[in-house]
Amino acid sequence: MDPTEDEGATPRKVLFVAGAGRSGTSTLAGIVSILGMHVPQPEVVADESNPKGFGEPKWCVEQHDRWLAEVNVQVSDARPSAWLDTGRVEAREPARIKVADWLESHFAVAPELVVKDPRLSWFLGLWRVGALRVGADPVFATMLRPPAEVVGSKQKYYANKLGSAHLAAGWVNMLLHTERATRSDEQGGGRTFVRYADLLTDWVRTTTDMAEHLDLRAVLHADSENIRAVHRFVDPNLRRVTVTLADLGLPKRLHELTQETWDQLNLLTDPAEDTPAAHAVLDQLREAYTDLYEESEAIARSTAVAARGDEARKVRARQAAVVEPAPAAPHSLVDLVPHDVRAKIPAGVRRGVRKALGRERDAQDRGRDAQGPQREGQ
């Protein structure tokens, strides 16, 4: 940051990096954090699928996972109705307080934060409210990567077995609703759309354009050392999966909607194209996708019912396989009498009972009877 600028005067701002997983969100979050924006700590640890780091606050990931599990929504859920489920979480006052308190605690570290998580789009309204409550300006950057590459990357790195059609539908559902949720309103909150390919090809120009549009002061005033660090961080070869929609073999109507959604979102990378007319087209695409999904769901109803029946049978089979062992039966009625009680019965009486039950003892046992019960310490 420019040392001549009063750091305390920098207004609070939160950059929310949204978009589908495997679309370059980690790269963008990594760049702006190196340039001076703060990723709330601790972060999710890097792994083989993202060796340079995720740039994700661990608290956000864990909290989002809890909320998604609570309303039975998947990260890449293709159901349009899933947005209604997560919307119920967004409307809860305790959730809003929790998010606002968490943001407030991290503004003690820096005035400009970056929050990124593939689950973020499901709760953008909640985060917008939380930021405004702590006097911060919420701004949004949505990453755009060709949907076929997103699908291919998920299948490669996440061992996803749900199929290309499901993943493509999840991408359409995620991006169309993310676009709707990030539109500016009377409360403010700028946004920008960033192509992953542009970020890898010329990160300086792409990031500068974004920072100017959203007024990200830490990025605009980054020093030369941080800029050199980003040059080392960005790898143009990060785009390791290159496939096309034709390679996915999608159903015709889903293929068309996916392509149309990609084309329309690409227009928004130019802020001048982010207009009510463009929004109207995207609204129509969202409605068309909802119609397609509901039609497909109605046709596949029997498959869903059969799948639930199969799962129920498997559960019953597992339960039937768990049989509690029956308690061992006593050897005889005599065994039900405690030993200390039996010891008080005269030896002659005990022998008579055993004889009647056919359990006479040998001479050695009779000798012990004559001695009486053993005492502790003998």
Side-chain angles (χ1 to χ4, degrees), residues 78 129 164 258 324:
V129 171
S164 298
T258 304
E324 293 291 338

Side-chain angles (χ1 to χ4, degrees), residues 178-251:
T178 298
E179 184 280 321
R180 181 64 186 87
T182 56
R183 291 179 191 174
S184 299
D185 56 22
E186 63 277 3
Q187 294 179 309
R191 71 173 182 176
T192 187
F193 291 80
V194 180
R195 294 189 193 92
Y196 184 41
D198 292 344
L199 197 62
L200 296 181
T201 303
D202 188 353
W203 76 263
V204 175
R205 178 179 178 180
T206 303
T207 305
T208 300
D209 288 346
M210 177 191 71
E212 290 177 346
H213 184 66
L214 301 178
D215 189 26
L216 305 177
R217 300 190 183 185
V219 176
L220 292 173
H221 300 296
D223 60 33
S224 58
E225 182 178 347
N226 289 342
I227 292 173
R228 286 193 295 270
V230 176
H231 278 299
R232 294 190 294 270
F233 172 77
V234 175
D235 178 5
N237 297 317
L238 280 174
R239 197 176 174 185
R240 293 183 286 266
V241 177
T242 54
V243 294
T244 67
L245 280 182
D247 297 325
L248 300 184
L250 302 177

